[in-house]
Amino acid sequence: AQKVTQAQTEISVVEKEDVTLDCVYETRDTTYYLFWYKQPPSGELVFLIRRNSFDEQNEISGRYSWNFQKSTSSFNFTITASQVVDSAVYFCALSEPSGTYKYIFGTGTRLKVLA
Amino acid sequence: EAGVAQSPRYKIIEKRQSVAFWCNPISGHATLYWYQQILGQGPKLLIQFQNNGVVDDSQLPKDRFSAERLKGVDSTLKIQPAKLEDSAVYLCASSPLRGTSTYEQYFGPGTRLTVT
């Protein structure tokens, strides 16, 4: 069965520190997609990145970077030089393109960046 | 481009009352999703529409929840009668019809429901 685990419930860091959010997934399919979303206090889920199972290249976007490792079924998210505006709940999600494309979300990691 | 719109943003009702939520997806998006997000948890899919047909409603409590998407655009989610455990944020999302690289879902701001 599909499953996404975000073991870190809450993380607090001081501004400018680097922080890594962990995501471990389970799936039997060879083709799947992984996502990260940010949920600020306003409540709206904001799309950050999509990664397909055939592309293990790490990706960097500004202060954000993602490390996808199929060998450990992990898709970790690192924020470099964190800022107060990064404070939010971050969700990792898994989707299989066959069938309904529905997402399975993890339970989220609440990141607090302190000034 | 306008995002996913939802209303109302907040709703407080008593148990056993009924409530309805409205969602307007991004223009041209064929797929529409309703999620329930209980405090401290990730969103859970309730129902998925492709145009105006239901693709997946396996986790929708059909004895009290119903949803429709008339004309393949707007959608309404209804709860009747509400229970205390229905207190949650109800999120609507949409995505384009499956294409070569369009699997992201775009979310609305949600409706926060409190059942007392």
Side-chain angles (χ1 to χ4, degrees), chain B residues 13-63:
Chain B
I13 61 173
E14 295 182 352
K15 59 183 179 183
R16 291 188 289 272
Q17 286 187 325
S18 63
V19 64
F21 313 128
W22 173 83
C23 172
N24 182 245
I26 293 174
S27 177
H29 280 194
T31 309
L32 186 147
Y33 310 80
W34 282 103
Y35 288 87
Q36 180 191 58
Q37 185 178 16
I38 293 173
L39 186 65
Q41 299 182 18
K44 181 186 79 172
L45 180 70
L46 292 175
I47 189 168
Q48 176 183 342
F49 293 94
Q50 183 91 341
N51 296 309
N52 60 352
V54 175
V55 175
D56 185 345
D57 62 357
S58 57
Q59 297 193 88
L60 186 73
K62 298 180 186 62
D63 57 333

Side-chain angles (χ1 to χ4, degrees), chain A residues 41-77:
Chain A
S42 60
E44 186 169 337
L45 280 151
V46 178
F47 168 76
L48 295 178
I49 190 171
R50 180 190 74 236
R51 173 65 70 213
N52 75 54
S53 53
F54 297 107
D55 183 1
E56 288 195 71
Q57 279 194 333
N58 292 332
E59 181 156 339
I60 298 174
S61 176
R63 297 184 296 107
Y64 295 171
S65 62
W66 290 269
N67 185 311
F68 175 34
Q69 291 194 340
K70 288 179 74 171
S71 60
T72 56
S73 296
S74 65
F75 186 42
N76 297 336
F77 173 31

Side-chain angles (χ1 to χ4, degrees), chain A residues 33 35 37 39 41-47 49-50 91 95 97 99-108 110, chain B residues 9 33 35 37 40-45 48 55-56 58-59 91 98 100-109:
Chain A
Y33 289 80
F35 303 82
Y37 280 82
Q39 188 173 43
S42 60
E44 186 169 337
L45 280 151
V46 178
F47 168 76
I49 190 171
R50 180 190 74 236
F91 289 96
S95 174
T100 64
Y101 296 81
K102 71 180 181 182
Y103 285 7
I104 303 298
F105 281 91
T107 51
R110 180 177 298 277
Chain B
R9 291 295 313 276
Y33 310 80
Y35 288 87
Q37 185 178 16
Q41 299 182 18
K44 181 186 79 172
L45 180 70
Q48 176 183 342
V55 175
D56 185 345
S58 57
Q59 297 193 88
L91 294 163
R98 66 184 81 165
T100 57
S101 61
T102 52
Y103 299 111
E104 297 94 270
Q105 296 180 22
Y106 299 88
F107 286 80

